[in-house]
Amino acid sequence: YPAACGAALVSRRHKNHNTRQRGEREREYVLDRGPPPLILAQTMGLVVAPSRRLTAEEWAEVKTRSIQEGDSTQPCVICREEFCLQPQVLLSCSHVFHKVWLKSFEKFSGRKSCPKCRKEQYETRGIYDAARLYREKCAVRIQAFWRCYLVHKWYSNIKKYFQEMNDSLVQSCSTDVEAFLNDIDRSVATSHDILRRFENKYMSVSEREEKDWLEAQEKAVQRGVQDCPICLKRLGSNNSSSKEDRNVILWSCSHLFHEPCLQAFELFCHEVKPTCPLCRSHYAKMLVSN
């Protein structure tokens, strides 16, 4: 136990030390040298004194403007390459470049002018925005690949499990495969029939409020439909092939059907819970007239 505590303490100190070192390495700094002291003529106003340096607040405004423009997320204007972890400089005109390529540009151009906006005599400051964004992007990619690996591994195990189950199921079937599949189809059809009977038995008028059924009846009366949409015969009329009257069923969607037509529709419907053939909505039904 003391050894484990000591190892944890050393690991924590090492982590804090690395974090402190990274913070010290990524501390922003001004690259330009300090201005020389003013001569007497400049002090007395006989000669123009050099412009003053930007303050910390002004540098903060310049960096905010650079972040809003998204310069650190774009490639360097000089070399047209990503910044990655290479040293990066921010100019007083809010433009960002590689430190090495900016020095090369100044060396071969012979003057100190921004390669993008041509501002003369700019000030430079070392920043690490692009490096921080690059590390975040790398971390996101590593996490994405790791999650993809975990999902692929999980899918492979599931696929292997179902493949073994399928092989064992096929091997356990001593009868013909076609007969086995037909038996499954019959079982599914029986389950659908039992579910429909259960719904017809227990989904009565009590499941819906009386107010809703009154509204459905009013809509049906306002619609003024007198024929069954399935058989296209008059609602409540006698069937030519039967001596019994056809009962009229009201659906919760305010549509009217003959009861035998509805039973035939539900019998030949492949859906577990049939929908209205007119408005495609799920329904409850109520007997309106005999």
Side-chain angles (χ1 to χ4, degrees), residues 138-157:
C138 293
V140 170
R141 288 182 179 178
I142 292 173
Q143 292 177 357
F145 278 109
W146 175 248
R147 291 171 182 170
C148 181
Y149 166 75
L150 292 180
V151 172
H152 181 71
K153 185 178 180 180
W154 173 81
Y155 175 75
S156 300
N157 296 333

Side-chain angles (χ1 to χ4, degrees), residues 270-287:
H270 295 286
E271 299 179 1
V272 178
K273 190 174 183 180
T275 57
C276 177
L278 296 180
C279 62
R280 305 301 181 187
S281 62
H282 295 285
Y283 58 85
K285 49 192 176 181
M286 180 180 69
L287 180 63

